Amino acid sequence: MEQYKSDFIEFMVESNVLKFGEFTLKSGRKSPFFMNAGAYVTGTQLRRLGEYYAQAIHDTYGLDFDVLFGPAYKGIPLAVATTMAISELYGKDIRYCSNRKEVKDHGDTGILLGSKLQDGDRVVIIEDVTTSGKSIEETFPIIKAQADVEVKGLMVSLNRMEVGKGGEKCALDEIKDLYGFETSAIVTMEEVVAYLHNRECQGKVVIDDTLKSAIDAYYDMYGVK
């Protein structure tokens, strides 16, 4: 596993973003783990988060693209932090763009904030986590309506590796099949479990054998076969 991936796993736990226990998800599923990207709240956390995204995007898609698009609302700080990190780490200026939930009709008008999209732009979309693909369903038509752009791919922080709406593939694979662009994550839940199982993080074992069994049982029920 690449160093930035193992560092990111520990960072999620340290930031109280990735938690383990018993949680009821929006879908009604009872999950032994929960991710809340809204817990990244400090400047230091956002700087580090942007760096992890930047490294994953660099390794997956390279830097031969023009715009990083973050769907409102959580994608906005992600896009900003990551474009800054790409500039710092790789010396490449990428424009950031996000959508508004409501069209603005005065001043900086339109549905976009940040950079406007232009014909020929190559776009990478950035999100926190994708469980159903609903935000892509909403924002992909907005992106394509603004200009003749090429979406190179989607990067999320964690691939939960659960079956999506179709009941067979994970949400990232469903998005890839539906929209025709690549999808990826900084880490997968499989990598998280393998790294944290019986390993101390902040002075305690995060995933012991009992929790590992609960996670395995969850994926027997909801995981991608």
Side-chain angles (χ1 to χ4, degrees):
M1 182 187 296
E2 294 89 337
Q3 184 67 45
Y4 75 85
K5 290 191 173 201
S6 56
D7 289 347
F8 179 63
I9 292 169
E10 294 193 14
F11 173 62
M12 284 194 291
V13 175
E14 292 166 3
S15 301
N16 210 30
V17 165
L18 183 60
K19 298 186 282 190
F20 297 91
E22 294 182 10
F23 306 93
T24 301
L25 307 180
K26 283 183 180 179
S27 61
R29 296 175 182 175
K30 304 287 187 181
S31 174
F33 61 91
F34 180 72
M35 181 187 174
N36 174 25
Y40 296 121
V41 293
T42 71
T44 299
Q45 288 174 331
L46 288 172
R47 177 184 56 77
R48 290 181 63 188
L49 181 61
E51 290 173 352
Y52 294 128
Y53 267 108
Q55 291 174 86
I57 289 170
H58 173 268
D59 282 7
T60 307
Y61 302 120
L63 296 177
D64 192 22
F65 67 99
D66 307 291
V67 179
L68 192 60
F69 186 94
Y73 288 105
K74 287 185 178 179
I76 297 173
L78 296 181
V80 172
T82 304
T83 52
M84 293 172 68
I86 289 173
S87 175
E88 288 289 324
L89 293 177
Y90 304 109
K92 178 73 182 286
D93 253 349
I94 301 293
R95 291 145 47 211
Y96 100 90
C97 179
S98 296
N99 64 296
R100 293 183 169 99
K101 290 290 188 179
E102 305 84 17
V103 177
K104 190 177 179 185
D105 59 5
H106 61 280
D108 182 19
T109 59
I111 198 167
L112 301 182
L113 54 86
S115 172
K116 302 300 183 186
L117 294 175
Q118 303 166 11
D119 287 350
D121 276 343
R122 296 154 302 173
V123 179
V124 171
I125 303 172
I126 185 171
E127 283 207 296
D128 55 349
V129 65
T130 297
T131 51
S132 69
K134 181 173 175 56
S135 67
I136 298 297
E137 184 179 318
E138 294 173 349
T139 57
F140 184 75
I142 293 173
I143 294 172
K144 297 298 284 186
Q146 305 308 307
D148 183 13
V149 305
E150 174 196 355
V151 177
K152 292 194 65 173
L154 165 69
M155 180 63 69
V156 302
S157 60
L158 176 67
N159 182 355
R160 288 182 61 102
M161 302 179 68
E162 298 173 40
V163 290
K165 292 188 292 186
E168 294 182 0
K169 300 178 179 179
C170 73
L172 287 181
D173 285 339
E174 287 183 346
I175 290 169
K176 179 180 178 179
D177 290 348
L178 187 59
Y179 298 104
F181 54 78
E182 295 298 316
T183 58
S184 189
I186 302 176
V187 292
T188 66
M189 200 60 204
E190 183 178 29
E191 290 172 322
V192 170
V193 174
Y195 180 77
L196 289 178
H197 183 212
N198 285 332
R199 180 190 296 269
E200 282 196 6
C201 183
Q202 290 192 300
K204 65 178 182 179
V205 173
V206 180
I207 300 180
D208 58 17
D209 289 339
T210 301
L211 183 55
K212 173 69 162 52
S213 297
I215 294 171
D216 289 344
Y218 182 80
Y219 277 104
D220 283 343
M221 186 173 299
Y222 299 116
V224 178
K225 305 303 182 197

